[in-house]
């Protein structure tokens, strides 16, 4: 009987789902997150510019370490830009996948 109770507890659905407008201040929170995203995109553009300069300086001065760090910074900035741009899609995808778990 104890095993049957444990299985019954696992199958229990609490009925929780995201609801728009459930809390006051949701529009303010969305505005804050959008502003943080914009700030991050601007920071990534700056990081890409600095990395490009370090990469070029390393290449032309013969400093292989600086050239490698410039390439690494450029790739990191590109990856960050990809994640910032795809954040809504990634969260929506995994949220949808999560609702299909039974």
């Amino acid at each position: 009987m104890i095993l049957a109770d444990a299985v019954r507890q696992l199958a229990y659905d609490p009925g929780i789902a995201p609801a728009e407008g459930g809390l006051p201040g949701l529009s303010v929170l969305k505005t804050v997150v959008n502003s943080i995203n914009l700030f991050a995109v601007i920071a990534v553009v700056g990081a890409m510019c600095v990395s490009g300069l370090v990469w070029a300086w390393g290449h032309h001065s013969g400093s292989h370490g600086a050239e490698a760090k410039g390439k690494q910074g450029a790739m990191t900035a590109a990856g960050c830009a990809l994640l910032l741009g795809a954040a809504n899609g990634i969260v929506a995808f995994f949220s949808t996948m999560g609702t299909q778990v039974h």
Side-chain angles (χ1 to χ4, degrees), residues 6-98:
V7 170
R8 194 174 305 123
Q9 282 292 76
L10 287 175
Y12 177 72
D13 180 16
I16 304 297
E20 181 95 19
L23 289 174
L26 188 59
S27 62
V28 173
L29 182 61
K30 286 181 182 180
T31 302
V32 168
V33 171
N34 286 337
S35 298
I36 291 170
N37 195 354
L38 175 63
F39 180 77
V41 168
I42 292 169
V44 166
V45 170
M48 183 68 81
C49 292
V50 170
S51 296
L53 288 172
V54 170
W55 187 354
W57 175 77
H59 176 75
H60 290 294
S61 68
S63 175
H64 300 295
E67 184 178 3
K69 289 298 182 183
K71 286 179 188 178
Q72 182 181 10
M75 290 290 105
T76 302
C80 288
L82 177 69
L83 287 175
L84 287 169
N88 285 336
I90 292 169
V91 170
F93 173 77
F94 284 108
S95 178
T96 302
M97 293 303 291

